[in-house]
Amino acid sequence: MAKHAITAAEAGYLLCHCCHLLCRPQPGSIHSRCPRCGAVLHRRKPNSLARTWALTLTAYILYIPANLLPIMTVTMSGRGEPDTILSGVKELIVGGMWPLALLVFFASITVPVLKLLALTFLLLSVRFGSHWRPWERTVLYRLTESIGRWSMIDVFVITILVAVVELGTLATIEAGAGAVAFGGVVVVTMFAAMSFDPRLIWDCMAPKDGEVSSHSRPEGAYRMQR
């Protein structure tokens, strides 16, 4: 019979969301503050689900113009056509630059879609109180949070090209509205991942009165739920 591992919150401790210091709030204090950075302490991130849902839906909306609008226009000798992300990948493939095409496709198409789907899955699983594989869902959140910044490769490349390629009438590169929307997708999904509180995954796993914990990995549960 598995034994329920006591959590930090049950032991009277709170984790500072700013500096990650484990604190014991003063007895009777309504708005306790972190002794190291002075931030207000909360048992969980305030309105975590609502803010994460709002940011995730915003990212879904921005993702549409990010793929439909031109991300940049390359003009050479007075001639040039705007390119979307997909048409840019196609041009790279036609030019024989398969590795770069795969990198752009993975960073600009695959990663944002997987990140949005992962956030949606985590939000729905918490919303419906799922008990399915909490440890694996926590790992999924860590991966989603860590890979978001690598989706900015397109934006970095366009920024560098616009700054460097200024050869007068010979060649110019201009960023398009799609680049702004794509940058918005990346930034908004990063904020969405930061707003999500993974401890909510474990909250619904806590045994109710008279029940015994059925965690498949109780030591992992104790380590993750600070």
Side-chain angles (χ1 to χ4, degrees):
M1 180 178 296
K3 183 180 178 181
H4 171 56
I6 188 171
T7 66
E10 292 171 345
Y13 288 92
L14 296 177
L15 181 69
C16 176
H17 300 311
C18 292
C19 69
H20 294 177
L21 177 68
L22 195 61
C23 312
R24 181 185 287 277
Q26 295 294 328
S29 177
I30 299 177
H31 300 293
S32 299
R33 291 185 176 275
C34 173
R36 182 161 65 185
C37 68
V40 178
L41 298 175
H42 302 280
R43 184 175 182 274
R44 296 290 179 263
K45 293 180 181 177
N47 303 317
S48 172
L49 290 183
R51 285 189 291 120
T52 308
W53 268 120
L55 292 168
T56 303
L57 293 177
T58 302
Y60 273 117
I61 295 172
L62 288 174
Y63 191 71
I64 297 173
N67 283 275
L68 296 180
L69 296 178
I71 195 167
M72 68 176 181
T73 302
V74 180
T75 304
M76 298 186 68
S77 301
R79 295 184 300 175
E81 293 183 359
D83 279 311
T84 62
I85 294 176
L86 283 177
S87 67
V89 172
K90 183 180 177 181
E91 290 293 333
L92 291 173
I93 293 175
V94 172
M97 293 182 281
W98 280 89
L100 184 57
L102 290 175
L103 177 63
V104 172
F105 183 82
F106 178 77
S108 304
I109 303 293
T110 307
V111 171
V113 170
L114 291 179
K115 193 174 181 182
L116 287 172
L117 293 178
L119 285 170
T120 305
F121 169 70
L122 292 172
L123 287 166
L124 290 175
S125 68
V126 171
R127 171 65 180 81
F128 292 104
S130 173
H131 287 208
W132 184 78
R133 297 182 181 274
W135 189 86
E136 285 79 0
R137 280 186 285 150
T138 306
V139 173
L140 175 63
Y141 167 73
R142 299 298 182 200
L143 289 174
T144 303
E145 185 185 33
S146 62
I147 65 174
R149 69 202 68 173
W150 297 106
S151 302
M152 293 288 279
I153 288 178
D154 269 13
V155 179
F156 290 151
V157 170
I158 293 172
T159 303
I160 293 172
L161 289 176
V162 170
V164 172
V165 183
E166 279 294 343
L167 300 179
T169 58
L170 294 180
T172 58
I173 295 180
E174 295 180 356
V180 178
F182 184 79
V185 172
V186 176
V187 172
V188 169
T189 51
M190 289 175 67
F191 280 119
M194 293 168 60
S195 300
F196 183 77
D197 195 333
R199 292 171 297 183
L200 296 174
I201 296 173
W202 297 96
D203 282 350
C204 62
M205 303 297 295
K208 299 178 181 177
D209 294 340
E211 291 184 355
V212 177
S213 172
S214 59
H215 292 167
S216 58
R217 300 187 184 190
E219 72 285 354
Y222 180 73
R223 185 172 58 255
M224 293 292 181
Q225 188 177 1
R226 291 178 293 181

